[in-house]
Amino acid sequence: MGRLTGGDPSLLRRINSAVVLHALRGADSPTLTDLTRITGLSRPTVEGVIEGLIEGGLVVESIPEEGGTRRQGRPARRFRFRAEAGHLLGVEIGAHRIAALLSGLDGRIIGGGSREVSETASADERLERVRQVVADVLRRTGVARSSLRAVGVGSPGIVKADGTVTLGTALPGWTGLALGERLRRSFRCPVLVENDANAAAVAEHWKGAATESDDIVFVLAGLSPGAGSLIGGRLHRGFGGAAGEIGALHLLGREVTPEKLLSTTDEPLHPLDEQAVADVFAHAKQGDPRAQEAVERFIQRLVHDVAALVLALDPELVVIGGWAAGLDGVLDPLRDELSRYCLRPPRVALSLLGEAAVATGALRLALDHVEEQLFAVEGTVTARR
């Protein structure tokens, strides 16, 4: 099903089909009578729509369970949405790993996997690792590649609507990469590419710490943090996809570069050297004064970066993710400083999805795309203008 337009001669039929299908997905094997009541459509209309959906493979008649109480006469026919009629894929492309999640058309995860990748890997090597991870997941779940209806991808960098990375300094060879075009060669379905922090924000709103909030900021915290935000329940990308790049605030002339914040020597850390970062925090916990000073610098910079975004957007909730989500003592300084700097301090919480946030958000991106097609839904969380 395509999107609805006013000039479509089958507009009413398609609206009815979307309404019935949406009701089926949200109900537990409803009867025709149930669907008539839920949708408000006439019984003949519902019957006609159901037959069409069965022919299209999206609906099937439910088989009565054995052992139940039998009533005289023919039992009412029951139907269910065939979530297995197609599948969705969410992929995270990171500096150190590639991860993928697989679901049916209802968004319920049925499989996943990941592989490590070197931070020095070329773009070609990283994309080959993506193909390997996807092949592994499909093989283990027994899902055919031809069954995929949409693929969502979360990637570092500023991403255009067509999936091109206009700026991506975190990964070698990433700036200018036509990522969406390259990945579409591996799939026979739409591939939707999103910035990783944006994808994680969508994930926390869907299944994480922000399910009850529509105005949120998600901070993907690292040496150079990024952020994704939802305003009124919709993802805010900015005009060119660069909204939330708080890691660039030091370019305004404030203090030192991010790489020097956690350095306990005169040499800056490599932005992707997670082990070196982990060592600094471990030494701080052990009482090393230089490491403790470095951690304090990092937390203060993170607080100021987040405060700048909070002042601009006034979110209800700030969710902290990335590896900084596992740091002791991040939340209290954030709450204290946001109370100091912000006119209306938001709530602050840690990510509930952890390292699965980006892939989960990418999966939601794919699900939104399919829902626009199946249910004619306008204004999904991740829909682009």
Side-chain angles (χ1 to χ4, degrees), residues 319-330:
V319 180
I320 303 299
W323 52 257
L327 302 180
D328 293 335
V330 167

Side-chain angles (χ1 to χ4, degrees), residues 30 44 58 77 100 108 147 190 195 197 200 225 237 248 259 291 327 329-330 352 366:
L58 290 172
R77 297 172 68 193
R108 295 181 182 179
S147 177
N195 167 266
R237 297 179 175 88
E259 293 79 8
L327 302 180
V330 167
L352 294 183

Side-chain angles (χ1 to χ4, degrees), residues 71-156:
R71 297 180 180 178
Q72 291 184 343
R74 183 179 179 181
R77 297 172 68 193
R78 293 183 175 275
F79 306 91
R80 70 173 180 86
F81 173 65
R82 291 189 67 238
E84 69 276 17
H87 294 86
L88 310 169
L89 195 64
V91 178
E92 174 193 3
I93 301 178
H96 299 93
R97 74 168 197 148
I98 307 296
L101 294 174
L102 182 72
S103 81
L105 294 180
D106 56 1
R108 295 181 182 179
I109 296 172
I110 60 174
S114 64
R115 286 194 183 190
E116 293 184 357
V117 63
S118 171
E119 67 269 18
T120 62
S122 67
D124 288 342
E125 292 170 331
R126 204 170 297 275
L127 292 177
E128 177 58 30
R129 188 56 54 92
V130 171
R131 287 186 279 270
Q132 292 171 356
V133 171
V134 170
D136 287 347
V137 172
L138 294 177
R139 183 177 63 253
R140 288 200 305 271
T141 55
V143 170
R145 185 177 292 264
S146 59
S147 177
L148 293 175
R149 294 288 189 94
V151 177
V153 180
S155 163

Side-chain angles (χ1 to χ4, degrees), residues 2 11 18 23 116 130 152 165 208 264 274 299 304 311 325-326 330-331 346 356 371 376:
L11 178 61
E116 293 184 357
V130 171
V165 182
T264 57
E274 292 184 352
I299 291 178
H304 293 159
L311 282 168
V330 167
L331 289 192
E371 286 187 343

Side-chain angles (χ1 to χ4, degrees), residues 236-243 385:
H236 178 69
R237 297 179 175 88
F239 179 77
R385 293 194 301 271

